[in-house]
Amino acid sequence: MVEVPVMRFLMADGHGDPNTSERYREVVSALYATSYAVRAVAKAELGRVHTVGPLEGLWSAADLGVFHTRDKDAWQWTLMIVQPEWVTPEVVAVAKERKPQETDVRFEEFHEGTCIQTLHIGPYDAEGPTIARMHDEFMPAENLTPRGRHHEIYLSDARRTDPAKLRTILRQPVRSIS
């Protein structure tokens, strides 16, 4: 169990299979381009340097059964990259002016609060049993129920990492049943 504070992110939304969706590829590219532009502006104008964070995703669907059936075309997602607390809307606006994107990247605060999380090692398509243990074993044992969207933090670069060695933080906001 973790308590996740309010954090600021660059975010963009979409839907569909992340393996085949052109929108997914556009959003990933735009988020990284904007994040590196923010980093450059922060360094030049604020004298502050930071490491660009990992890609993160919030996942949902109108029918949660599509996650078990792997009907990825029905998935809704928000991709995001965390920003340091000292990055302001003004810094982001300057970065977006200098590196305009066709994709609608936005800057906003996000608060998850109480969550359960675990580290999954292996392919993304093998996350199912780990997520099932979170939902079907841990949450009931702790008198918890899901709240909010499933959250994944991608610690590995899928383009360069053997799928068996991918590291992903799986996070689920929860609330007490009582």
Side-chain angles (χ1 to χ4, degrees):
M1 300 230 358
V2 295
E3 192 64 32
V4 183
V6 173
M7 292 188 280
R8 294 174 171 193
F9 289 88
L10 293 175
M11 306 172 125
D13 304 311
H15 68 277
D17 185 337
N19 298 311
T20 60
S21 167
E22 182 61 31
R23 169 79 176 157
Y24 188 89
R25 285 187 287 283
E26 290 170 359
V27 166
V28 170
S29 177
L31 284 172
Y32 276 109
T34 306
S35 291
Y36 279 101
V38 165
R39 183 180 186 275
V41 170
K43 181 178 180 181
E45 297 190 8
L46 303 177
R48 305 210 52 182
V49 179
H50 65 278
T51 300
V52 170
L55 184 67
E56 303 186 29
L58 302 174
W59 299 90
S60 60
D63 172 11
L64 295 181
V66 300
F67 290 105
H68 298 291
T69 62
R70 309 304 289 168
D71 179 8
K72 296 178 183 181
D73 289 329
W75 293 3
Q76 302 291 321
W77 41 263
T78 298
L79 298 180
M80 50 201 214
I81 296 178
V82 70
Q83 301 299 302
E85 63 186 30
W86 43 266
V87 168
T88 64
E90 293 77 22
V91 168
V92 174
V94 170
K96 289 175 81 173
E97 282 177 17
R98 292 184 184 171
K99 189 79 172 178
Q101 296 293 316
E102 294 179 24
T103 303
D104 51 337
V105 173
R106 67 187 183 278
F107 181 61
E108 74 180 50
E109 289 186 342
F110 180 65
H111 185 231
E112 283 182 294
T114 305
C115 298
I116 61 169
Q117 74 177 29
T118 190
L119 176 65
H120 171 78
I121 299 175
Y124 303 133
D125 281 338
E127 293 173 354
T130 303
I131 294 169
R133 283 193 305 277
M134 291 170 72
H135 285 257
D136 301 338
E137 295 173 25
F138 185 83
M139 282 193 265
E142 298 296 321
N143 204 31
L144 300 169
T145 190
R147 171 190 56 78
R149 297 169 76 185
H150 173 74
H151 186 165
E152 298 187 356
I153 304 169
Y154 308 104
L155 302 177
S156 306
D157 183 341
R159 299 167 301 167
R160 297 184 177 100
T161 306
D162 176 342
K165 296 180 180 179
L166 290 171
R167 297 178 326 135
T168 308
I169 293 174
L170 305 177
R171 182 183 291 162
Q172 177 62 57
V174 293
R175 65 176 174 77
S176 177
I177 294 174
S178 52

